[in-house]
Amino acid sequence: MSPELVAVLAVIIAAMVFDYTNGFHDAANAIATSVSTRALTPRAALAMAAVGNFVGAHLGKEVAKTVGEGLVQLPIGIPSLGIVFAGVLGAISWNLITWYFGLPSSSSHALFGGLVGATLVAGMGSVQWGNIVQKVVIPMVASPVVGLVLGFLAMVALMWTFRRGNPGKLNRGFRYAQTVSAAAMAVGHGTQDAAKTMGIVVLALYSGGYQDDISYIPPWVFWASATMLAAGTYTGGWRIIRTLGRKIIDLGPAEGFAAETVASSVLYFNAFVLHAPISTTHTITSAIMGVGATKRLSAVRWNVAGNILIAWVTTFPAAALIACLFHYIVGPLFA
């Protein structure tokens, strides 16, 4: 087995581990609201989310291209694979840290930060800062704002439309509706997050000289990424599920439906129209906050929201720093 093949396989395995951690770290994005409102049982919700992530993974080709060729440029060779390997390890580490503390941080931004940090410390290749600003920084700021505003407006619209309805019947109806909105959220999560792993695998194949076209995604990459994300999702990240479902606001079925509908719509627009890899975590969390603010501002537990915001801001640089440390450790193995 050639050194190039060993290096490529190491990166692919690391990418699949990241995909798995992404699944259980971000399971809350798709099911927290449905579980907290009792629209779905936990295991039924996780199973549905796993299937939705698997389906969505096959729809994220354009997002995968952005990750694979739009963030960093690396020369072909084993040292470049060391950069990607260290970047992925940085992202995995940050996922595990934030999962342990129950913070819904962005696995996407952890991956981007890891790649950028490892590339900078390696002193080879280049970071495409223009694309980082356009495809990462701007969506990072815009998607939570959009989710917050649209969540508020969607909930106001539902409250106005059903203001004379019977509360008991409405709650039952919205619980059924949440099955659809949660499924849409799961597919949207797969479209965004599995695509990021696919982009890393393609980058590894290209850097290792096993593929000439960095924009081509082999069919097996779709299936492997989709399977690992679905498997990770099914295990469930209960620490983060409790944070999103219970600690930000007390969700009812109508609030859950509004938040999921808004968040999934934002995910689809970015994936299919803008081809931008946005954070599903930022989107659903901000939508939940927007929905909760329709009750009263104090209904949102802003101290919890503040801790989440700190995790959002620190994710990119923290993952970058961890990736730098990993590169010092594993870089010599890829010389």
Side-chain angles (χ1 to χ4, degrees):
M1 189 178 294
S2 68
E4 289 83 5
L5 181 57
V6 172
V8 169
L9 289 176
V11 174
I12 291 175
I13 291 171
M16 291 301 130
V17 173
F18 168 77
D19 205 20
Y20 185 85
T21 65
N22 191 353
F24 75 72
H25 187 279
D26 289 3
N29 295 344
I31 69 166
T33 53
S34 299
V35 172
S36 67
T37 62
R38 297 181 175 84
L40 294 168
T41 63
R43 282 299 162 192
L46 283 170
M48 183 193 68
V51 172
N53 280 328
F54 187 85
V55 172
H58 292 78
L59 305 175
K61 182 178 180 180
E62 296 301 324
V63 175
K65 287 182 180 179
T66 298
V67 175
E69 62 184 276
L71 303 180
V72 297
Q73 284 186 331
L74 300 174
I76 294 175
I78 293 179
S80 293
L81 292 167
I83 293 173
V84 180
F85 187 69
V88 175
L89 291 182
I92 292 171
S93 300
W94 188 249
N95 271 357
L96 294 176
I97 291 170
T98 51
W99 165 80
Y100 179 81
F101 289 103
L103 293 174
S105 67
S106 170
S107 296
S108 305
H109 293 161
L111 182 59
F112 303 155
L115 277 178
V116 170
T119 300
L120 290 175
V121 77
M124 61 180 295
S126 62
V127 177
Q128 301 188 58
W129 291 110
N131 286 342
I132 293 289
V133 171
Q134 181 182 355
K135 297 292 187 179
V136 178
V137 177
I138 293 177
M140 180 175 68
V141 175
S143 59
V145 174
V146 171
L148 184 73
V149 173
L150 291 184
F152 182 88
L153 294 177
M155 194 61 213
V156 168
L158 287 179
M159 292 166 63
W160 176 258
T161 302
F162 298 103
R163 62 190 183 280
R164 294 189 177 89
N166 180 280
K169 290 182 178 179
L170 287 176
N171 280 336
R172 286 194 295 272
F174 278 116
R175 283 195 177 96
Y176 289 122
Q178 267 199 278
T179 304
V180 178
S181 61
M185 187 67 201
V187 173
H189 179 257
T191 301
Q192 281 285 342
D193 284 50
K196 291 148 192 172
T197 299
M198 291 189 287
I200 293 299
V201 174
V202 169
L203 182 60
L205 293 172
Y206 177 80
S207 299
Y210 285 90
Q211 186 169 304
D212 295 329
D213 184 1
I214 197 171
S215 65
Y216 173 69
I217 305 173
W220 68 266
V221 176
F222 280 99
W223 287 96
S225 300
T227 300
M228 290 303 293
L229 184 68
T233 298
Y234 189 69
T235 62
W238 294 109
R239 293 172 185 265
I240 298 175
I241 288 172
R242 283 191 288 269
T243 298
L244 280 182
R246 300 174 186 174
K247 293 185 179 180
I248 298 176
I249 65 166
D250 295 319
L251 287 169
E255 290 89 352
F257 172 77
E260 289 169 342
T261 301
V262 165
S264 58
S265 299
V266 174
L267 293 178
Y268 291 140
F269 180 80
N270 279 274
F272 299 134
V273 178
L274 301 181
H275 307 156
I278 68 165
S279 168
T280 55
T281 304
H282 291 189
T283 306
I284 184 62
T285 306
S286 59
I288 290 173
M289 293 178 187
V291 164
T294 60
K295 296 181 177 180
R296 60 188 185 281
L297 287 178
S298 60
V300 179
R301 298 181 180 98
W302 295 108
N303 60 327
V304 176
N307 292 335
I308 293 172
L309 180 60
I310 292 172
W312 288 0
V313 173
T314 57
T315 288
F316 191 100
L321 178 59
I322 296 172
C324 290
L325 297 176
F326 269 116
H327 190 267
Y328 282 117
I329 298 171
V330 303
L333 302 177
F334 290 82

